[in-house]
Structure formats: structure tokens, C-alpha cells
Amino acid sequence: MARGTGQGGARRRMMVLGFTGGALGGHLGGWRHRDSFPTTTMQLQCMVEMARIAERGQLDMMFLADGNGVRQMDKPALFAANSPSDRPAVFEPVTLFAALAQHTSKIGLVATATTTYEEPFSIARKFASLDHLSGGRAGWNLVTTQYVEDAKNFGRDEHMGRVERYERAHESLDVVRALWDSWATDAFPQDKATGQYLDPARVRLTQHRGTHFAVKGPLNVARTPQGQPVVFMAGQSEAGKELAAYGGEGLFGTASSKAQAQKEYADIKGRMPKYGRPPDALKILPALSVFVGRTRAEADALYEELQSLIAPSLAVSYLSKLVGFDLTDAPLDGPMPASPGESVGGTAIGRSVLEMAAREGLSVRGTYERVLPSMGGNMVKGDPVEIADMMEDWYTGKACDGFMLSMPVQPRSLRDFVELVVPELQRRGLRPPDYRGTTLRENMGLPIPADPFLH
Ligand SMILES: Cc1cc2nc3c(=O)[nH]c(=O)nc-3n(C[C@H](O)[C@H](O)[C@H](O)COP(=O)(O)O)c2cc1C
């Protein structure tokens, strides 16, 4: 049970809600809409504004996806148009969150870092620091890196294969957690009278020697407010699911239908008992793009307007990027081609898109029209009651524990969600009336890991 909830006794489970914090918005045409930020590149102010709006709506977390390279330079139209997930010029997310932590007080700050190209010591140190700077609001989205080209910025010609990436990820996660457990909570008495700054009996070495890493430890950061930052993942491959069951506390998904989400939910939760973990120790949060209006007509109008901001050639280029193979020569109104083979990089979104196209017999045009608004995940469009109905249906139907929201136009869509949908979710008892604690763990309903020196 989380500590310090101030509510006493068992707490009701609540839908977990986060949002993807890209200032360009989640729709490819979002940044061109008149209600979007006028400029976003390296603008701290945009990030502060979104975090504060989300905090007014008691959202549990702001999430920043990330990579270590500039993409799509081989697709000039897409490169010029800047699709929301490409990020040619963005702040390094942990650095950015260190700044945002000083402008917010409740919202969780979940940053992405890759185990493929970063060392566990650096990851442990950065996120432990962020947890201190934010008073217990840090989360790490562990990725193995989706984009093969990132390898070329780290002294490699090729991206590591999936098996090796996930072996490294598993080992890295264990080492990071061991490093976070370096110091006892009370290791630094800093007693002026006796001259004792720290207690040498309250620290331990990590002494790890494995296949991929050798780390002596200890970490040079004191035990953090959450004990350990919350670990998120987003891999949907077999290896990705297994790692999430083993050690993830949040999992982002891409399911595009309730049935698919229910299947994945049961699959991943079903893998947890063999690791001695209760199902509720991992919160599954499918991505959800929300097009909300005060009325259904207003939501439809926003949706149509955004779709009209994207030329078909750009849309095909974007779809090619998502599925991982080139669709330029495929007839627009012909059937969506199947994948020519398994790709080395990300599979999650691409596979979900191809499954949807096959399931629904969509053309190339039909596929991108479906994919553009949702980024390949799920989308919902309507008035606040319709949006809340869909969210409640998935949540109570064991399709998810909450959602990772994608907002098509920023900051308009986030503000609309907070003002229109959050009160409806609260009225239904799906969301708390206020933050339930000061740490991300408390707000997500996750336990604070025990201090190993006390047990
Ligand atoms: C909602 C969501 C967000 C993701 N964010 C990132 C990211 O920021 N950086 C990244 O490299 N991969 C990201 N991914 C991809 C996965 O984390 C994973 O690294 C990739 O899909 C390869 O692993 P897999 O083969 O297990 O899917 C994301 C996936 C989803 C569904």
C-alpha cells in the first residue's frame, strides 16, 4: 500500500491517466491548426503551460517519448512537415523535466531513456536526481530504441538485434534498481555535533558483473523520495511483453480495438504470477487520441479540419514510416499491402496498424485516414459523455488500467479534455476529485518499494 495517502484504509482503484507531452500535438496536422502553439521549438514555456493545464485536471503524468537521432531525412516531404514523433529539435527529456519540476508540484514526469545506448549507471543517476528534484514524481520509460538509425550516433553501423537489445534491457533494469537501492533512507545523519555526515553501514556496493555491464556502485545519489522512480515500458514484441511482466510498473500499448486490448491485457497480466507479482503492480495504458467537442458536431469539425491539413503524399509517407516499409508505389485505393518481413526496430505500432488494415479490409488511403488521427493506436471522437463512455467501457471491461492520452492540437485539446472530460470521469467515480498524494506512485496506486536496509 502506498504510504502517506492521508485517506486511511484501502483505497479505491482509479483509472490512471497520462498524456504525451509533445507541444506539436499528436495529429500530423495539429501544429498547423490555428489553436496550436505559434512556435514550439526549444520553448520551455509551451511545456510549462501544458504541464500546468494537466495539473489543473489532476492528470497523473506527463510523458515524453524520445530518441537519439534526427529521422526522416530520406523522406523530404515528411521531414519538412515534421511528424509529431520525429522530434528533430527537442530538449533531452530528463533535463527538461528537471526544469518543469520547478514549475509544477503534483504531476508525474515520465521521461524516456534507452538501455541500448545508455549505461545503467547514468540512467540510475539521472532518474534518481529527477526524483529528488521533483519530490517523488519521476518515471523512466525504458525503451530499447525503435529507430535503427540512432545506432550511428553511438559508434555502431547497425542497430542491435531484438534478442540482444532485450537481454541488455533486462540486465540494465536489474542494475538500475540495484543502484537505486544503494543507500538506506537514513544514511545521511549529517550530525554537526558528532561530525558524522553519513553512516558507512547504510550503503552497499552493487558489485554487478554480467554479460553486458560491469558496475561496482554505489550510486552517488541518496535514496529517492519514491524509493525508486516508476518504471514504464512500451515494447509490444514477445520479449517486450515478457520484460514488462517481469519488471514494468506502467506499460504503454497500441491496441486499436477493445477486443485486442483485452487480449493483450489478459496476456501480460497472466505472465506476472510466475515473477511473483500481483497483476495490479503493472498498469497497462493504451494510447488514446481524443477528439473532444462540446457537442459531437464540434468534435467532427475539429477532426475534419485536421485531416484536411495533410496532403495524400504526406500521409502515405507517414504511413510508410509507421509500418516500416515504403508504400509510395502502392495504389492509393488498392488494398493495404502486408509487411515484407520483420523489421529490426519498432514493431508495436506498425503491427497494430497492419492488423487493423487486414481486419477491416482497408485500402492504403483508408488506412492512413484511420491512422493519422490516432498515430496507429486507438482514437475516440465525440462529446464529453461519449468520450467518457468509451473510456469507462475499456476500463471496466479489463481492456486497460487507464490511458496514455494523445492530444491532437496543443494546448487546445489538452485544455478541452481537462475542462470537459475530466469532470465527467470524476462524476462517474473513475477519477479522484484531487491528487491522492504527492508522489507519482501514490497517484498511480503503486506501492513504495521497501528500503532494503529496513528489512
Ligand atoms: C506509446 C508508445 C511510446 C513509445 N515511445 C518510444 C520512445 O519514446 N522511444 C523509442 O525508442 N521507442 C518507443 N516506443 C517503442 C517501444 O518502446 C520499443 O522500444 C520498440 O517498439 C521496440 O521494441 P518492441 O520490438 O518490443 O516493440 C514506444 C511505443 C509505444 C507504444
Side-chain angles (χ1 to χ4, degrees):
M1 194 70 227
R3 70 179 175 195
T5 61
Q7 305 210 347
R11 292 187 319 167
R12 227 179 118 191
R13 252 180 106 246
M14 288 275 169
M15 178 189 284
V16 176
L17 281 188
F19 81 104
T20 306
L24 289 172
H27 189 284
L28 184 49
W31 66 268
R32 297 180 60 196
H33 193 276
R34 66 186 165 282
D35 294 334
S36 66
F37 288 117
T39 58
T40 58
T41 309
M42 316 316 289
Q43 297 293 316
L44 175 63
Q45 209 39 52
C46 297
M47 309 310 278
V48 171
E49 188 173 335
M50 287 190 295
R52 285 185 169 159
I53 294 169
E55 214 164 52
R56 281 207 299 278
Q58 298 93 28
L59 297 196
D60 297 312
M61 77 201 85
M62 175 166 177
F63 160 60
L64 288 177
D66 194 53
N68 286 282
V70 173
R71 288 134 198 176
Q72 316 307 340
M73 294 184 78
D74 59 337
K75 297 186 181 68
L78 196 58
F79 187 51
N82 189 16
S83 81
S85 56
D86 286 334
R87 307 176 291 268
V90 288
F91 293 108
E92 188 286 313
V94 177
T95 314
L96 173 65
F97 276 149
L100 277 193
Q102 311 311 306
H103 293 269
T104 53
S105 59
K106 298 284 178 56
I107 193 161
L109 305 168
V110 180
T112 297
T114 177
T115 53
T116 300
Y117 299 111
E118 289 195 58
E119 288 282 322
F121 191 92
S122 310
I123 293 175
R125 189 178 185 203
K126 288 200 292 196
F127 284 90
S129 296
L130 181 62
D131 207 43
H132 281 287
L133 290 169
S134 62
R137 295 185 282 138
W140 168 31
N141 177 36
L142 178 167
V143 300
T144 66
T145 293
Q146 200 164 15
Y147 292 92
V148 297
E149 290 279 301
D150 288 15
K152 296 185 178 149
N153 291 328
F154 294 89
R156 296 178 67 102
D157 292 328
E158 304 280 344
H159 196 32
M160 264 174 230
R162 182 169 290 111
V163 172
E164 189 184 356
R165 284 204 321 263
Y166 272 101
E167 263 179 33
R168 254 180 89 96
H170 193 124
E171 191 177 330
S172 179
L173 176 61
D174 287 345
V175 176
V176 167
R177 286 202 162 126
L179 285 163
W180 284 338
D181 278 348
S182 292
W183 297 91
T185 311
D186 57 0
F188 296 91
Q190 199 160 355
D191 188 329
K192 286 187 179 175
T194 63
Q196 187 186 21
Y197 174 73
L198 62 79
D199 181 350
R202 310 297 275 168
V203 63
R204 63 178 185 192
L205 296 175
T206 308
Q207 300 289 34
H208 175 83
R209 223 162 240 292
T211 314
H212 300 278
F213 307 106
V215 180
K216 180 171 167 225
L219 191 65
N220 52 353
V221 182
R223 189 167 184 82
T224 79
Q226 294 190 101
Q228 298 187 350
V230 183
V231 176
F232 293 78
M233 298 181 197
Q236 319 283 301
S237 61
E238 205 32 50
K241 286 182 198 169
E242 205 57 43
L243 187 64
Y246 166 75
E249 298 177 288
L251 179 66
F252 305 142
T254 55
S256 57
S257 70
K258 182 182 169 191
Q260 188 191 348
Q262 284 171 319
K263 203 166 133 235
E264 285 172 9
Y265 188 91
D267 174 14
I268 290 161
K269 301 257 173 174
R271 297 173 193 232
M272 295 176 69
K274 69 173 176 283
Y275 298 113
R277 303 184 69 206
D280 210 35
L282 168 66
K283 308 291 183 183
I284 298 185
L285 312 173
L288 179 64
S289 296
V290 182
F291 294 77
V292 64
R294 276 156 194 81
T295 60
R296 170 165 264 274
E298 198 181 294
D300 286 340
L302 172 66
Y303 176 87
E304 296 303 334
E305 203 178 348
L306 286 169
Q307 296 288 78
S308 75
L309 289 172
I310 299 159
S313 59
L314 185 63
V316 169
S317 191
Y318 183 66
L319 186 59
S320 303
K321 163 194 129 91
L322 275 188
V323 297
F325 58 94
D326 192 9
L327 292 161
T328 316
D329 295 330
L332 264 189
D333 294 306
M336 181 66 193
S339 171
E342 178 90 344
S343 71
V344 185
T347 54
I349 293 173
R351 200 173 47 229
S352 174
V353 168
L354 291 171
E355 277 170 13
M356 178 187 71
R359 194 172 58 233
E360 301 184 19
L362 298 177
S363 64
V364 172
R365 189 196 306 272
T367 308
Y368 77 61
E369 283 179 348
R370 287 287 300 278
V371 159
L372 289 175
S374 66
M375 301 282 295
N378 188 32
M379 65 157 276
V380 60
K381 173 164 64 82
D383 64 32
V385 169
E386 289 172 304
I387 308 275
D389 283 349
M390 177 262 142
M391 294 175 75
E392 180 168 11
D393 182 43
W394 278 45
Y395 179 67
T396 56
K398 291 196 185 317
C400 67
D401 298 305
F403 298 91
M404 179 47 65
L405 304 167
S406 169
M407 299 299 175
V409 180
Q410 289 289 31
R412 166 178 161 170
S413 303
L414 181 60
R415 192 176 291 127
D416 287 349
F417 185 87
V418 161
E419 289 172 7
L420 302 173
V421 184
V422 169
E424 180 62 26
L425 295 171
Q426 288 170 329
R427 200 183 58 72
R428 298 178 188 205
L430 295 166
R431 288 288 298 164
D434 199 354
Y435 282 103
R436 297 195 290 177
T438 56
T439 65
L440 176 57
R441 285 186 179 279
E442 288 168 289
N443 290 318
M444 287 181 69
L446 291 170
I448 300 272
D451 177 344
F453 289 85
L454 301 178
H455 293 267

